[in-house]
Amino acid sequence: MSILAILVLWECLSLFEVVPNYMLPSPAQTVEAFIGDFWLLMSHLKVTLLETLLGTVMGVVIGYASAMLMDRWEPAYKAFYPIVVLTQTIPAVAIAPLLVLWFGYKMMPKIILIILITFFPIVIGTLTGFRSADKDAINLMRSMGASRWQIFKHIKFYNALPNFFSGLRITVAYAVVGAVLAEWLGGFAGLGVYMTRVKKSFAYDKMFAVIFLISGISLILIWLVDVLQKKCMPWENAEPIKRKRDENKWIKN
């Protein structure tokens, strides 16, 4: 309902030219621009999605592995955690031009920027999940002779799942934005390249069309993460008693 209200307000602002029409095209003009450039947008979208997929997968793998290392080995935590935090104090818009300068205008700098953006939410969220595991349960397993791997498999892994998926939601949203940002600063194809071209021609209706396309892709990716979480954590959607039974069954397996 709120989205519909925003669209109506937007249409009124454009219709009565509260903001000049060439600066704020109406929703109808935006849809028309999207349909008119549909196939061109799809060709650029394929490049952006490929960069997003590669960068996100690599960022998630590196982030999860780093969280495991810092949780397992305290010296690694003390050495790398400040560096992980420090990486987030440098704006992505400042790093992107350097990556383009160092690695050229192809796909490599885009993937590296996406890894840098997506790495942080995964490693912080997962590490928090590992370290917030029930200490009593861990001590009980140790007293029964459980190995570190068994403690990780049966307690820490499942305890970190909610944090991991929370970080993954942030990751997939940032990944698309990161890819577009890197393309904006240099490249041969992708939605960011498309945006720079239509901006230079003052085609703001096409600018709004690609902005809404990026937002739509981000929402779809977040929805896919929700679906994946429900598949990986079926006990979360069960009744309280059944949820506890299902959780115990998954942990035993």
Side-chain angles (χ1 to χ4, degrees):
M1 195 66 182
S2 58
I3 296 177
L4 180 61
I6 292 172
L7 291 175
V8 171
L9 177 61
W10 178 11
E11 183 68 38
C12 292
L13 290 173
S14 180
L15 180 64
F16 296 107
E17 295 193 358
V18 177
V19 180
N21 188 257
Y22 68 89
M23 294 178 61
L24 183 64
S26 67
Q29 290 174 310
T30 302
V31 172
E32 183 179 349
F34 178 81
I35 295 173
D37 267 13
F38 179 79
W39 294 113
L40 180 59
L41 281 168
M42 292 302 104
S43 65
H44 284 290
L45 178 61
K46 285 191 296 185
V47 177
T48 300
L49 284 180
L50 179 59
E51 295 166 352
T52 300
L53 177 63
L54 293 175
T56 301
V57 170
M58 294 173 69
V60 168
V61 171
I62 295 172
Y64 199 93
S66 300
M68 289 180 62
L69 176 64
M70 287 190 284
D71 176 68
R72 184 180 180 90
W73 193 34
E74 190 64 23
Y77 174 81
K78 293 179 180 179
F80 296 118
Y81 188 82
I83 298 175
V84 171
V85 175
L86 183 63
T87 61
Q88 299 307 298
T89 64
I90 305 172
V93 70
I95 299 175
L98 294 175
L99 293 176
V100 172
L101 180 65
W102 294 335
F103 299 100
Y105 292 94
K106 294 185 178 180
M107 196 172 289
M108 181 61 70
K110 285 81 169 176
I111 294 175
I112 294 175
L113 182 63
I114 294 170
I115 292 172
L116 293 175
I117 291 174
T118 58
F119 169 81
F120 184 77
I122 295 297
V123 68
I124 295 299
T126 306
L127 182 61
T128 301
F130 289 155
R131 297 206 155 211
S132 63
D134 190 342
K135 302 299 182 184
D136 292 334
I138 292 175
N139 290 332
L140 176 62
M141 290 197 67
R142 283 175 179 164
S143 68
M144 298 171 67
S147 64
R148 284 187 173 184
W149 168 249
Q150 289 173 320
I151 292 173
F152 171 82
K153 178 183 176 182
H154 295 290
I155 297 179
K156 290 191 173 185
F157 174 79
Y158 291 98
N159 192 76
L161 279 179
N163 302 70
F164 170 77
F165 282 109
S166 296
L168 190 58
R169 288 188 191 88
I170 300 172
T171 291
V172 295
Y174 282 0
V176 180
V177 176
V180 172
L181 173 62
E183 292 166 352
W184 182 284
L185 296 171
F188 302 107
L191 293 178
V193 175
Y194 175 88
M195 290 180 74
T196 57
R197 291 173 181 172
V198 298
K199 181 178 72 73
K200 290 178 181 178
S201 62
F202 300 97
Y204 292 110
D205 53 344
K206 296 180 180 180
M207 279 282 290
F208 275 92
V210 73
I211 288 171
F212 277 98
L213 177 59
I214 293 169
S215 298
I217 294 300
S218 298
L219 290 174
I220 291 172
L221 291 175
I222 292 172
W223 173 77
L224 289 174
V225 172
D226 289 337
V227 173
L228 181 61
Q229 181 176 5
K230 290 178 181 178
K231 295 292 185 181
C232 294
M233 302 174 61
W235 58 84
E236 287 293 315
N237 303 310
E239 294 297 326
I241 297 177
K242 185 175 183 296
R243 181 188 305 172
K244 189 65 178 178
R245 186 170 62 247
D246 289 347
E247 184 178 0
N248 290 335
K249 183 178 72 174
W250 274 64
I251 292 174
K252 288 177 182 178
N253 293 334

